[in-house]
Amino acid sequence: MMVRRIFITASLAALALPAPAWAEALPRLQVWRDESCGCCAGWVDHMRAAGFPIEDNVVRSLAAARRMLGTPSDLLSCHAGLIGGYALEGHVPAAAVTRLLSERPAGIRGLAVPGMPVGSPGMDVPGLAPDSYDVLAFDARGGRTAFMRFRGGTPV
């Protein structure tokens, strides 16, 4: 009986503890997306599940957000984001965003996953093998480099 009482007391005390420090440290992710885009909502769910606080902006057109973010037109996908001063375009996995925020490489304006690779966050298609794709880093002068490579949602 005493062991059970100690266990219950310890369990209730654990519930009162603050969230882990890493969860508190993640900056707010602003997202701009079209209301009818199911894969965009899937990506938002992926980022939320990774612990990012989300400001979800449903808009008629993403053009103004993309101009503000400076996203190159050849890297466009279906939704845009801003986190920690970095632009995001498309189905960028949370692992790439976490790495970007941790390393803060000089000169990088943002990350993009052009198109809609199968298996990327929000683009799960039952019965289809996931694509391999690069998350591209872009700078303010139009330069691009491969930042991370993924197969589906898994880094490779």
Side-chain angles (χ1 to χ4, degrees), residues 1-152:
M1 185 67 150
M2 181 59 98
V3 171
R4 186 165 58 177
R5 185 172 298 157
I6 292 170
F7 175 77
I8 291 170
T9 303
S11 298
L12 291 173
L15 290 175
L17 292 175
W22 63 267
E24 293 173 14
L26 291 174
R28 177 176 50 108
L29 169 59
Q30 294 175 275
V31 178
W32 292 271
R33 66 180 181 91
D34 181 275
E35 175 179 37
S36 63
C37 182
C39 67
C40 297
W43 181 76
V44 168
D45 290 344
H46 164 77
M47 297 303 284
R48 191 173 279 130
F52 290 95
I54 306 289
E55 176 188 312
D56 192 7
N57 300 290
V58 178
V59 295
R60 288 185 180 206
S61 171
L62 279 72
R66 287 182 170 136
R67 275 192 303 277
M68 175 194 68
L69 297 170
T71 307
S73 61
D74 62 322
L75 298 181
L76 299 182
S77 182
C78 55
H79 53 268
L82 177 65
I83 187 164
Y86 294 103
L88 301 177
E89 179 67 35
H91 296 270
V92 179
V97 176
T98 301
R99 178 180 163 206
L100 176 71
L101 295 171
S102 172
E103 295 177 5
R104 296 204 167 270
I108 299 298
R109 183 176 198 130
L111 299 178
V113 174
M116 301 167 85
V118 173
S120 61
M123 285 298 300
D124 301 316
V125 181
L128 292 181
D131 292 332
S132 292
Y133 60 95
D134 288 324
V135 173
L136 302 176
F138 61 92
D139 63 29
R141 291 175 300 205
R144 292 163 175 90
T145 57
F147 184 73
M148 285 182 82
R149 184 143 182 87
F150 286 80
R151 178 161 179 82

